Amino acid sequence: MSSPSSSSAEPVKRETFSTRRLFILSAIGSAVGLGNIWRFPYIAYDNGGGAFLIPYLVALLTAGIPLLFLDYAVGHKFRGSAPLAYRRLHRAAEPLGWWQVLVCFVIAAYYAVIVAWSLMYTIFSFTEAWGDDAEGYFFGTFLKVSEAPGVGFNYVPSVFFPLLLIWTVVIIIMVAGIRKGISRANSILLPLLMVMFLLLVVQSLFLPGAAEGLNAFFTPDWAALADPSVWAAAYGHIFFSLSVGYGIMVTYSSYLKRRTDLTGSGMVVAFSNSGFEILAGIGVFAALGFMAQAAGAGVNDVVTQGIGLAFVAFPTIVSQAPLGALMGVLFFGSLVFAGVTSLISVLEVIVAAVQDKLGWGRVRTSLVVSGLVAAVSLALFPTATGLYLLDTSDAFVNSFGITLGALVTVVVLAWFLRKLPLLSAHLNRTSTIKMRGAWMVLVAGVVPLALIYLVFNEFISKISATYEGYPEWFVGLFGWGMAGGLVVLALVLTFIPWSRKSKAHHDPEYQSMIDEDEAEAAR
Amino acid sequence: MTPIAITMMIIAILTVWGGLAVALLNLKRHPEDEGALPEEHAPEL
């Protein structure tokens, strides 16, 4: 800035990732999360084992990567947070951005809680605090889960305080901004995660029974390929795993410099994410093979995913394995690091949006926004009923926030606004891997078809029986009500006018880019 | 491990990590165009 007095007339320049490498690291940090570690291994095992590789790769290439590039193109071309980028694409598209922001609000609030549990379990690993009853310890002693779902304010200090600590660390990262906060956190945590996870995998492979676990994981069941639900599982997993369709990649790519190889960078991000998943499958199933052998059971008897895998099966393995404490620290530490790097990307979607809408500075926005999400997270989740709320909001925000939101976004962009040729041209302007007709066919055809199938299945399964047998009012309020409320609130936020200081009204930097692009096109 | 499981493991590793290696090579062949980039710290930092 040439003079300090120009701040109101000339908005501050948009921050950028200082190098392509830092963008790639941050995008990988976002994509690699808890799902890669605790979801993928089970999904692959349950859907054909080794044969799952085929639908998985097909889904990655025909839906995951094309959708990732769609996000990149929108964020990079229109250089804004999700609501601003979609608004610049077309005024009518702004609510899509706010919907994604609100989805991120819900995810951030509960995701941090799981990171907090993982932090406590990293410490518990030293003493094997769960004794010989990992399940009873987790649900009873640690979470103090109440008998029935409900809303209570019966706080559990052993969850509340670690959660407070996680939020404090995350808020510091957010306040520091893209370069000093997010880039730096990812450039430290991601390599650390890779090293720790590799050590974990190596340790698991040396456990007795590991080979049996890997047999269970990799033996192909070719008949599974004829089952549509296996293909749906592959597409569903790819959508969640790559963090596409809910604003994260739009936001991150808006911080990229103008001439950037979008698709070349994106390929590295996508294959790193998948590479990590394969590694997680090997590590998790080697460990499960050991667990099965120790219990004198088959691998199919001990296999599990999600919370059950991380907080019941793994503690059991830690208790039985040689150098178990080390293994626990590596596993739960990996969950913490993978979780934090994803959490900050989810939060950035909200921070960037509010910053754009109100024209506030980085520090103020980060403090207010992250503080608000932290307050909601701390008020609702570290309670005796928090687990029910977490489970319900996770299930509904995934189905009717992320998946349905991605479907609506793709259909609006491809079919109603017909922006794919424009976005394709933007991708090809500076990228090494060109996205032309085939990309448009995938984004306008394959992606929406897969998403329609997924949303339809979710709708049928959630409407045919009350989710998990929880009380109807509870699922109605925190499941359906929350998911519907996000759409309504997204419309409300769209109608709130953008601040006079906002970049939506005055953004010389963006304007000069449009001028440059037009000059280049005219040449 | 059974031969079929080993085979599938090798194929999985080769395709996914091979894909990553190709993606990295492609990126390396096209270094960042630093000349065209605005290089300025955000003033609020």
Side-chain angles (χ1 to χ4, degrees):
Chain A
M1 293 269 105
S2 49
S3 76
S5 60
S6 66
S7 59
S8 64
E10 226 169 288
V12 287
K13 275 199 165 179
R14 193 173 184 78
E15 245 196 301
T16 52
F17 285 105
S18 52
T19 62
R20 181 170 73 180
R21 194 181 137 265
L22 284 171
F23 165 75
I24 293 174
L25 274 179
S26 303
I28 298 172
S30 170
V32 171
L34 302 174
N36 298 64
I37 300 173
W38 76 16
R39 192 173 186 275
F40 171 79
Y42 178 84
I43 296 290
Y45 164 83
D46 197 38
N47 290 283
F52 185 71
L53 184 67
I54 293 167
Y56 176 82
L57 287 176
V58 170
L60 177 69
L61 296 173
T62 62
I65 291 175
L67 203 49
L68 181 69
F69 292 161
L70 180 72
D71 278 359
Y72 279 3
V74 170
H76 191 248
K77 180 168 177 66
F78 298 105
R79 212 173 160 78
S81 59
L84 181 58
Y86 285 112
R87 181 191 161 93
R88 282 173 172 168
L89 179 112
H90 194 285
R91 285 291 274 267
E94 186 182 330
L96 298 173
W98 288 112
W99 193 5
Q100 296 176 350
V101 168
L102 293 165
V103 163
C104 287
F105 193 107
V106 175
I107 295 176
Y110 71 76
Y111 203 83
V113 182
I114 305 170
V115 179
W117 297 345
S118 308
L119 180 66
M120 287 311 282
Y121 267 68
T122 313
I123 301 164
F124 291 166
S125 296
F126 288 102
T127 56
E128 290 167 17
W130 44 80
D132 49 14
D133 179 17
E135 186 168 3
Y137 183 84
F138 179 68
F139 294 105
T141 318
F142 179 56
L143 292 186
K144 300 190 172 45
V145 177
S146 66
E147 292 278 308
V151 187
F153 294 94
N154 219 341
Y155 287 98
V156 182
S158 57
V159 182
F160 184 90
F161 289 104
L163 183 58
L164 188 63
L165 177 67
I166 292 291
W167 275 114
T168 310
V169 171
V170 166
I171 290 175
I172 291 171
I173 297 174
M174 298 310 292
V175 167
I178 299 300
R179 291 192 180 191
K180 293 186 174 166
I182 292 181
S183 299
R184 195 174 285 175
N186 276 295
S187 61
I188 297 168
L189 295 182
L190 196 68
L192 213 53
L193 168 66
M194 293 302 163
V195 171
M196 284 172 59
F197 207 80
L198 268 173
L199 287 174
L200 174 74
V201 171
V202 170
Q203 193 183 358
S204 302
L205 286 173
F206 281 101
L207 293 174
E212 273 316 303
L214 293 182
N215 277 339
F217 185 60
F218 282 112
T219 302
D221 168 17
W222 299 112
L225 296 184
D227 182 352
S229 73
V230 167
W231 290 83
Y235 278 92
H237 181 76
I238 284 291
F239 286 132
F240 294 131
S241 175
L242 273 180
S243 305
V244 285
Y246 55 107
I248 294 179
M249 291 303 166
V250 171
T251 308
Y252 268 10
S253 60
S254 77
Y255 297 120
L256 268 169
K257 289 166 181 170
R258 218 45 204 160
R259 305 194 68 84
T260 298
D261 183 352
L262 290 170
T263 55
S265 308
M267 284 293 183
V268 173
V269 174
F271 277 95
S272 299
N273 178 63
S274 293
F276 188 87
E277 284 188 331
I278 297 284
L279 196 65
I282 295 173
V284 163
F285 269 84
L288 288 173
F290 164 74
M291 185 181 170
Q293 203 199 48
V299 176
N300 59 325
D301 295 319
V302 298
V303 72
T304 161
Q305 65 165 331
I307 289 172
L309 174 73
F311 299 103
V312 178
F314 251 91
T316 311
I317 295 165
V318 166
S319 294
Q320 293 163 342
L323 293 175
L326 172 69
M327 192 166 184
V329 171
L330 292 175
F331 178 77
F332 292 109
S334 296
L335 286 184
V336 173
F337 292 162
V340 167
T341 51
S342 298
L343 181 59
I344 54 181
S345 70
V346 173
L347 270 178
E348 183 57 31
V349 175
I350 321 169
V351 171
V354 174
Q355 209 178 351
D356 279 346
K357 184 97 173 181
L358 301 178
W360 286 3
R362 174 81 205 182
V363 174
R364 185 178 171 195
T365 321
S366 313
L367 280 176
V368 171
V369 169
S370 318
L372 184 66
V373 186
V376 170
S377 175
L378 284 160
L380 294 178
F381 292 100
T383 66
T385 45
L387 182 64
Y388 299 110
L389 186 61
L390 190 155
D391 185 29
T392 308
S393 37
D394 178 48
F396 279 80
V397 86
N398 277 327
S399 307
F400 307 113
I402 297 181
T403 320
L404 181 61
L407 172 62
V408 175
T409 304
V410 169
V411 169
V412 167
L413 261 55
W415 292 100
F416 287 94
L417 303 177
R418 300 186 175 270
K419 293 289 184 186
L420 294 190
L422 182 79
L423 296 170
S424 155
H426 182 77
L427 285 173
N428 294 337
R429 210 166 61 93
T430 49
S431 296
T432 49
I433 305 163
K434 305 298 178 195
M435 294 292 138
R436 297 197 176 92
W439 176 74
M440 288 190 255
V441 169
L442 292 173
V443 173
V446 175
V447 170
L449 283 177
L451 286 168
I452 286 172
Y453 185 82
L454 291 170
V455 171
F456 179 75
N457 270 349
E458 283 299 323
F459 189 73
I460 296 297
S461 82
K462 289 214 166 64
I463 206 137
S464 55
T466 315
Y467 180 67
E468 292 284 329
Y470 293 163
E472 265 176 39
W473 70 267
F474 187 81
V475 176
L477 186 60
F478 297 109
W480 298 106
M482 177 272 294
L486 298 188
V487 179
V488 175
L489 204 52
L491 291 169
V492 172
L493 287 168
T494 307
F495 284 109
I496 295 176
W498 291 70
S499 155
R500 217 167 25 82
K501 292 184 293 178
S502 159
K503 285 194 175 24
H505 294 304
H506 182 60
D507 189 353
E509 201 187 353
Y510 177 64
Q511 194 53 48
S512 75
M513 279 166 190
I514 298 180
D515 297 344
E516 263 174 48
D517 288 0
E518 277 170 4
E520 193 176 304
R523 248 181 269 138
Chain B
M1 281 179 76
T2 58
I4 182 73
I6 293 174
T7 313
M8 288 314 293
M9 181 167 88
I10 291 171
I11 293 175
I13 289 174
L14 283 181
T15 47
V16 175
W17 292 353
L20 176 58
V22 172
L24 280 170
L25 266 178
N26 170 61
L27 209 59
K28 209 170 182 142
R29 286 214 328 267
H30 302 91
E32 239 173 326
D33 180 6
E34 282 292 346
L37 307 174
E39 191 52 64
E40 208 178 307
H41 274 277
E44 72 268 30
L45 289 181

